[in-house]
Amino acid sequence: MTDNVISRNPTSGEIIATYPLQTHAELETALQQSAEAFAQWRATGMDKRILVLRQLAEQIRQRQDQLVRMATLEMGKPIAQARAEVLKCANLCDWYAEHGPAMLADKPTLVENQQAWQSFRPIGAILAVMPWNFPYWQVLRGAVSMLLAGNTYVLKHAPSVMGSAHLMRELFDATDLPKGGFTVINVDNDGVSTAIKDPRIAAVAVTGSVRAGGAIAAQAGAVLKKLYWSWVAQILSSCWQMLTWMLQWPQPSQDATRTPGRCVWQPNGSLSKRASQKRLRRVSARLCRR
């Protein structure tokens, strides 16, 4: 077992950089910083959150050449495609800064005399396990909306694109986001399991293979944490039918129906913890065989 992950140019095989895996103490520090940032960020007004997104968009555009070069070196993305991905991320920040507040505003309900309403509240630090193929977009499409909602973001990126991960952290560090609001961790599978089980992690987001998603879903479900799982659109229909049958969970959210291959799941509150864990093990076993 290696103590480092390697960023390597796929064209030449040249090693770009090596990144030591974090120790348990270093992971603990990262999770604590994220928790402390959440305590501050959740109380921050919407105007300040919008400002951070505007600042992030500006940082992305100012440093686009550096971001493009890193993506091209680390995972072989053509320069034109890398630049398009980077600028799309900047546009994403602008879009959420403009439209996000309305999406998070309180919504009326059907309760008579306006005695109740639907309100959106932050839940805590979100652990995100992300893939290499779109090193910036896959991360920021979730991080931006989660941060705007008042959560913090803990990124476990693919080992081959850790350079891109650290560049994104530098972008956030240049904004008014509290320290630890966007955190990068570099851990092995055991470290990911430790983070999932940690009470400071409120939910888990993952984009990857069915096998990886099934394994993380089982661990998140075992501790009854919300899971945001994105996978290839081609298998969405068959997997969703199986999951609704086995778990009796609700249909995809409105956000999920707008983007193929994305679902937001929440455990059925009527299930006991033991029943939820049993059903999640069955789901994981079936998904991993597909």
Side-chain angles (χ1 to χ4, degrees):
M1 180 177 177
T2 180
D3 293 328
N4 301 281
V5 298
I6 299 175
S7 174
R8 189 187 300 272
N9 186 324
T11 301
S12 65
E14 175 188 2
I15 293 178
I16 301 170
T18 59
Y19 301 91
L21 292 175
Q22 290 175 311
T23 64
H24 179 78
E26 290 171 330
L27 175 60
E28 165 65 25
T29 298
L31 296 179
Q32 184 59 29
Q33 286 182 344
S34 186
E36 291 173 357
F38 172 66
Q40 179 181 349
W41 185 242
R42 69 181 302 179
T44 301
M46 185 58 68
D47 290 344
K48 180 65 173 293
R49 296 180 195 173
I50 292 173
L51 174 62
V52 168
L53 295 193
R54 297 292 191 191
Q55 292 172 336
L56 181 60
E58 181 180 0
Q59 286 295 315
I60 291 172
R61 293 187 174 102
Q62 288 180 355
R63 301 184 63 179
Q64 63 177 283
D65 290 343
Q66 186 179 8
L67 294 165
V68 168
R69 174 176 170 79
M70 182 62 75
T72 298
L73 286 176
E74 283 195 317
M75 47 82 63
K77 188 181 289 279
I79 292 175
Q81 293 182 21
R83 190 172 302 278
E85 179 181 345
V86 169
L87 294 178
K88 183 178 181 181
C89 291
N91 293 338
L92 172 82
C93 297
D94 291 337
W95 192 92
Y96 270 106
E98 180 177 354
H99 301 285
M103 298 169 67
L104 294 171
D106 291 348
K107 303 292 191 299
T109 68
L110 298 178
V111 177
E112 61 184 14
N113 299 325
Q114 297 183 344
Q115 297 182 49
W117 61 90
Q118 182 182 18
S119 187
F120 300 92
R121 294 291 183 263
I123 61 174
I126 312 298
L127 172 64
V129 182
M130 294 290 110
W132 59 270
N133 55 341
F134 290 91
Y136 305 122
W137 175 254
Q138 292 282 21
V139 173
L140 293 178
R141 66 169 185 158
V144 168
S145 58
M146 292 175 188
L147 289 166
L148 183 64
N151 304 292
T152 54
Y153 195 88
V154 180
L155 171 62
K156 164 48 178 91
H157 218 329
S160 59
V161 290
M162 285 303 297
S164 299
H166 286 295
L167 281 181
M168 282 186 284
R169 178 184 52 77
E170 291 176 9
L171 296 176
F172 280 101
D173 287 347
T175 72
D176 291 337
L177 183 70
K179 182 179 179 181
F182 182 94
T183 303
V184 175
I185 60 174
N186 183 24
V187 295
D188 56 16
N189 291 341
D190 290 339
V192 173
S193 297
T194 298
I196 291 173
K197 296 174 185 176
D198 194 285
R200 290 165 293 193
I201 294 296
V204 184
V206 57
T207 299
S209 67
V210 174
R211 185 177 298 276
I216 292 175
Q219 293 180 65
V223 288
L224 295 182
K225 292 187 178 178
K226 295 179 176 65
L227 172 70
Y228 174 96
W229 183 9
S230 175
W231 68 95
V232 291
Q234 290 86 339
I235 64 170
L236 173 62
S237 178
S238 60
C239 282
W240 182 254
Q241 291 174 3
M242 180 179 67
L243 285 166
T244 53
W245 171 69
M246 296 184 68
L247 298 181
Q248 299 177 1
W249 283 352
Q251 291 294 321
S253 68
Q254 291 183 354
D255 178 66
T257 60
R258 287 196 295 268
T259 306
R262 295 169 61 186
C263 286
V264 179
W265 301 336
Q266 296 187 13
N268 187 329
S270 64
L271 296 178
S272 68
K273 183 175 181 180
R274 178 175 295 180
S276 297
Q277 292 173 347
K278 182 177 180 180
R279 291 188 176 187
L280 282 161
R281 284 195 295 269
R282 292 167 62 191
V283 169
S284 178
R286 292 194 62 174
L287 288 177
C288 291
R289 288 198 300 267
R290 292 184 67 84

Short mmCIF file of all heavy atoms in Angstrom, two decimals, residues 137-171:
data_model
loop_
_atom_site.label_atom_id
_atom_site.label_comp_id
_atom_site.label_asym_id
_atom_site.label_seq_id
_atom_site.Cartn_x
_atom_site.Cartn_y
_atom_site.Cartn_z
N TRP A 137 -15.68 20.81 -13.22
CA TRP A 137 -17.14 20.87 -13.34
C TRP A 137 -17.85 19.91 -12.40
O TRP A 137 -18.82 20.28 -11.74
CB TRP A 137 -17.57 20.62 -14.78
CG TRP A 137 -19.07 20.56 -14.94
CD1 TRP A 137 -19.84 19.45 -15.15
CD2 TRP A 137 -19.98 21.67 -14.87
NE1 TRP A 137 -21.17 19.79 -15.23
CE2 TRP A 137 -21.27 21.15 -15.06
CE3 TRP A 137 -19.81 23.03 -14.67
CZ2 TRP A 137 -22.41 21.96 -15.05
CZ3 TRP A 137 -20.94 23.84 -14.66
CH2 TRP A 137 -22.21 23.30 -14.84
N GLN A 138 -17.38 18.66 -12.33
CA GLN A 138 -18.03 17.69 -11.46
C GLN A 138 -18.05 18.15 -10.02
O GLN A 138 -18.98 17.85 -9.26
CB GLN A 138 -17.32 16.32 -11.57
CG GLN A 138 -17.46 15.64 -12.90
CD GLN A 138 -18.83 14.95 -13.07
OE1 GLN A 138 -19.79 15.29 -12.39
NE2 GLN A 138 -18.91 14.00 -13.97
N VAL A 139 -17.03 18.88 -9.62
CA VAL A 139 -16.94 19.38 -8.25
C VAL A 139 -17.83 20.61 -8.06
O VAL A 139 -18.68 20.65 -7.17
CB VAL A 139 -15.49 19.71 -7.89
CG1 VAL A 139 -15.41 20.38 -6.52
CG2 VAL A 139 -14.63 18.46 -7.92
N LEU A 140 -17.63 21.60 -8.91
CA LEU A 140 -18.27 22.90 -8.67
C LEU A 140 -19.76 22.88 -8.94
O LEU A 140 -20.51 23.68 -8.36
CB LEU A 140 -17.58 23.97 -9.51
CG LEU A 140 -16.14 24.25 -9.08
CD1 LEU A 140 -15.50 25.29 -9.99
CD2 LEU A 140 -16.08 24.71 -7.63
N ARG A 141 -20.25 21.99 -9.81
CA ARG A 141 -21.70 21.98 -10.07
C ARG A 141 -22.45 21.64 -8.79
O ARG A 141 -23.62 22.04 -8.63
CB ARG A 141 -22.04 20.97 -11.16
CG ARG A 141 -21.77 19.52 -10.78
CD ARG A 141 -22.36 18.55 -11.79
NE ARG A 141 -22.19 17.18 -11.34
CZ ARG A 141 -22.93 16.15 -11.76
NH1 ARG A 141 -23.88 16.38 -12.64
NH2 ARG A 141 -22.71 14.95 -11.32
N GLY A 142 -21.84 20.89 -7.89
CA GLY A 142 -22.47 20.61 -6.60
C GLY A 142 -22.03 21.56 -5.52
O GLY A 142 -22.84 22.03 -4.72
N ALA A 143 -20.73 21.89 -5.48
CA ALA A 143 -20.21 22.72 -4.40
C ALA A 143 -20.84 24.10 -4.38
O ALA A 143 -21.15 24.63 -3.30
CB ALA A 143 -18.69 22.83 -4.54
N VAL A 144 -21.02 24.70 -5.54
CA VAL A 144 -21.55 26.06 -5.60
C VAL A 144 -22.96 26.14 -5.00
O VAL A 144 -23.25 27.01 -4.17
CB VAL A 144 -21.54 26.58 -7.05
CG1 VAL A 144 -22.35 27.86 -7.18
CG2 VAL A 144 -20.10 26.83 -7.51
N SER A 145 -23.83 25.23 -5.40
CA SER A 145 -25.20 25.26 -4.87
C SER A 145 -25.23 24.90 -3.38
O SER A 145 -26.00 25.48 -2.61
CB SER A 145 -26.09 24.31 -5.66
OG SER A 145 -25.60 22.98 -5.61
N MET A 146 -24.40 23.95 -2.98
CA MET A 146 -24.38 23.55 -1.57
C MET A 146 -23.87 24.67 -0.68
O MET A 146 -24.39 24.91 0.42
CB MET A 146 -23.51 22.30 -1.40
CG MET A 146 -24.08 21.06 -2.04
SD MET A 146 -22.94 19.65 -1.94
CE MET A 146 -23.79 18.44 -2.97
N LEU A 147 -22.85 25.39 -1.15
CA LEU A 147 -22.32 26.51 -0.38
C LEU A 147 -23.32 27.66 -0.32
O LEU A 147 -23.48 28.30 0.73
CB LEU A 147 -21.00 26.98 -0.99
CG LEU A 147 -19.81 26.03 -0.79
CD1 LEU A 147 -18.66 26.42 -1.71
CD2 LEU A 147 -19.35 26.05 0.66
N LEU A 148 -23.99 27.93 -1.42
CA LEU A 148 -24.99 28.99 -1.43
C LEU A 148 -26.09 28.71 -0.41
O LEU A 148 -26.64 29.63 0.22
CB LEU A 148 -25.60 29.16 -2.82
CG LEU A 148 -26.61 30.28 -2.97
CD1 LEU A 148 -25.97 31.65 -2.74
CD2 LEU A 148 -27.27 30.25 -4.35
N ALA A 149 -26.41 27.44 -0.22
CA ALA A 149 -27.44 27.04 0.74
C ALA A 149 -26.95 27.08 2.19
O ALA A 149 -27.73 26.81 3.11
CB ALA A 149 -27.95 25.64 0.41
N GLY A 150 -25.67 27.41 2.39
CA GLY A 150 -25.16 27.55 3.75
C GLY A 150 -24.40 26.37 4.29
O GLY A 150 -24.02 26.35 5.47
N ASN A 151 -24.15 25.36 3.44
CA ASN A 151 -23.37 24.20 3.86
C ASN A 151 -21.89 24.43 3.60
O ASN A 151 -21.50 25.40 2.94
CB ASN A 151 -23.85 22.96 3.10
CG ASN A 151 -25.32 22.71 3.27
OD1 ASN A 151 -25.79 22.37 4.35
ND2 ASN A 151 -26.09 22.91 2.20
N THR A 152 -21.06 23.53 4.09
CA THR A 152 -19.64 23.52 3.73
C THR A 152 -19.35 22.26 2.93
O THR A 152 -20.15 21.32 2.91
CB THR A 152 -18.73 23.62 4.96
OG1 THR A 152 -19.08 22.58 5.91
CG2 THR A 152 -18.88 24.97 5.63
N TYR A 153 -18.18 22.20 2.30
CA TYR A 153 -17.89 21.17 1.29
C TYR A 153 -16.52 20.56 1.55
O TYR A 153 -15.52 21.27 1.64
CB TYR A 153 -17.92 21.84 -0.09
CG TYR A 153 -18.00 20.91 -1.28
CD1 TYR A 153 -19.22 20.47 -1.77
CD2 TYR A 153 -16.85 20.49 -1.93
CE1 TYR A 153 -19.30 19.65 -2.89
CE2 TYR A 153 -16.92 19.66 -3.05
CZ TYR A 153 -18.14 19.25 -3.52
OH TYR A 153 -18.22 18.43 -4.63
N VAL A 154 -16.50 19.23 1.68
CA VAL A 154 -15.26 18.48 1.89
C VAL A 154 -15.03 17.62 0.66
O VAL A 154 -15.77 16.67 0.41
CB VAL A 154 -15.34 17.61 3.16
CG1 VAL A 154 -14.03 16.83 3.35
CG2 VAL A 154 -15.64 18.46 4.38
N LEU A 155 -14.01 17.94 -0.12
CA LEU A 155 -13.76 17.27 -1.39
C LEU A 155 -12.73 16.16 -1.25
O LEU A 155 -11.61 16.38 -0.81
CB LEU A 155 -13.26 18.28 -2.43
CG LEU A 155 -12.76 17.69 -3.76
CD1 LEU A 155 -13.88 16.96 -4.49
CD2 LEU A 155 -12.17 18.79 -4.64
N LYS A 156 -13.14 14.94 -1.64
CA LYS A 156 -12.21 13.83 -1.85
C LYS A 156 -12.19 13.59 -3.35
O LYS A 156 -13.08 12.96 -3.92
CB LYS A 156 -12.69 12.59 -1.09
CG LYS A 156 -12.06 11.25 -1.49
CD LYS A 156 -10.55 11.27 -1.58
CE LYS A 156 -10.03 9.87 -1.94
NZ LYS A 156 -9.91 9.68 -3.41
N HIS A 157 -11.17 14.14 -4.01
CA HIS A 157 -11.11 14.04 -5.47
C HIS A 157 -10.39 12.76 -5.89
O HIS A 157 -9.77 12.07 -5.08
CB HIS A 157 -10.38 15.25 -6.04
CG HIS A 157 -10.98 15.75 -7.33
ND1 HIS A 157 -11.60 14.92 -8.23
CD2 HIS A 157 -11.06 17.00 -7.87
CE1 HIS A 157 -12.03 15.62 -9.27
NE2 HIS A 157 -11.72 16.89 -9.07
N ALA A 158 -10.50 12.44 -7.19
CA ALA A 158 -9.78 11.28 -7.74
C ALA A 158 -8.28 11.50 -7.56
O ALA A 158 -7.78 12.62 -7.74
CB ALA A 158 -10.12 11.11 -9.21
N PRO A 159 -7.53 10.45 -7.22
CA PRO A 159 -6.10 10.61 -6.96
C PRO A 159 -5.31 11.22 -8.11
O PRO A 159 -4.32 11.93 -7.88
CB PRO A 159 -5.64 9.18 -6.68
CG PRO A 159 -6.86 8.46 -6.22
CD PRO A 159 -7.99 9.07 -6.98
N SER A 160 -5.74 10.98 -9.34
CA SER A 160 -4.97 11.44 -10.49
C SER A 160 -5.12 12.93 -10.77
O SER A 160 -4.39 13.49 -11.59
CB SER A 160 -5.38 10.65 -11.75
OG SER A 160 -6.77 10.81 -12.00
N VAL A 161 -6.06 13.60 -10.10
CA VAL A 161 -6.28 15.03 -10.37
C VAL A 161 -6.21 15.86 -9.09
O VAL A 161 -6.93 16.84 -8.92
CB VAL A 161 -7.62 15.27 -11.10
CG1 VAL A 161 -7.58 14.74 -12.53
CG2 VAL A 161 -8.78 14.65 -10.33
N MET A 162 -5.31 15.49 -8.21
CA MET A 162 -5.19 16.23 -6.96
C MET A 162 -4.65 17.64 -7.19
O MET A 162 -4.94 18.56 -6.42
CB MET A 162 -4.28 15.47 -6.00
CG MET A 162 -4.92 14.25 -5.37
SD MET A 162 -6.44 14.63 -4.46
CE MET A 162 -5.81 15.70 -3.18
N GLY A 163 -3.89 17.84 -8.26
CA GLY A 163 -3.43 19.19 -8.58
C GLY A 163 -4.60 20.11 -8.87
O GLY A 163 -4.65 21.26 -8.41
N SER A 164 -5.56 19.60 -9.63
CA SER A 164 -6.76 20.37 -9.92
C SER A 164 -7.56 20.65 -8.65
O SER A 164 -8.12 21.73 -8.47
CB SER A 164 -7.64 19.61 -10.93
OG SER A 164 -6.95 19.41 -12.16
N ALA A 165 -7.61 19.66 -7.76
CA ALA A 165 -8.33 19.83 -6.50
C ALA A 165 -7.73 20.96 -5.67
O ALA A 165 -8.45 21.81 -5.13
CB ALA A 165 -8.31 18.52 -5.70
N HIS A 166 -6.42 20.99 -5.58
CA HIS A 166 -5.77 22.02 -4.77
C HIS A 166 -5.89 23.40 -5.41
O HIS A 166 -5.96 24.41 -4.70
CB HIS A 166 -4.31 21.66 -4.52
CG HIS A 166 -4.14 20.55 -3.52
ND1 HIS A 166 -4.49 20.70 -2.19
CD2 HIS A 166 -3.68 19.28 -3.64
CE1 HIS A 166 -4.24 19.57 -1.53
NE2 HIS A 166 -3.76 18.70 -2.40
N LEU A 167 -5.94 23.46 -6.73
CA LEU A 167 -6.16 24.74 -7.39
C LEU A 167 -7.55 25.29 -7.04
O LEU A 167 -7.72 26.49 -6.81
CB LEU A 167 -6.01 24.61 -8.90
CG LEU A 167 -4.59 24.57 -9.46
CD1 LEU A 167 -4.62 24.47 -10.99
CD2 LEU A 167 -3.80 25.80 -9.04
N MET A 168 -8.55 24.40 -7.00
CA MET A 168 -9.89 24.85 -6.62
C MET A 168 -9.90 25.35 -5.19
O MET A 168 -10.56 26.36 -4.87
CB MET A 168 -10.90 23.72 -6.82
CG MET A 168 -11.32 23.52 -8.26
SD MET A 168 -12.64 22.30 -8.45
CE MET A 168 -11.71 20.78 -8.22
N ARG A 169 -9.18 24.67 -4.31
CA ARG A 169 -9.11 25.16 -2.92
C ARG A 169 -8.50 26.55 -2.86
O ARG A 169 -8.97 27.42 -2.12
CB ARG A 169 -8.30 24.18 -2.07
CG ARG A 169 -8.13 24.63 -0.62
CD ARG A 169 -7.23 23.69 0.15
NE ARG A 169 -5.97 23.47 -0.52
CZ ARG A 169 -4.96 24.34 -0.53
NH1 ARG A 169 -5.08 25.51 0.10
NH2 ARG A 169 -3.84 24.07 -1.15
N GLU A 170 -7.46 26.79 -3.68
CA GLU A 170 -6.84 28.11 -3.71
C GLU A 170 -7.83 29.17 -4.20
O GLU A 170 -7.82 30.31 -3.72
CB GLU A 170 -5.61 28.07 -4.61
CG GLU A 170 -4.45 27.25 -4.04
CD GLU A 170 -3.28 27.18 -5.01
OE1 GLU A 170 -3.30 27.89 -6.03
OE2 GLU A 170 -2.35 26.39 -4.74
N LEU A 171 -8.68 28.80 -5.14
CA LEU A 171 -9.69 29.74 -5.63
C LEU A 171 -10.62 30.16 -4.49
O LEU A 171 -10.92 31.35 -4.31
CB LEU A 171 -10.51 29.11 -6.75
CG LEU A 171 -9.78 28.76 -8.05
CD1 LEU A 171 -10.73 28.05 -9.01
CD2 LEU A 171 -9.18 29.99 -8.71
#
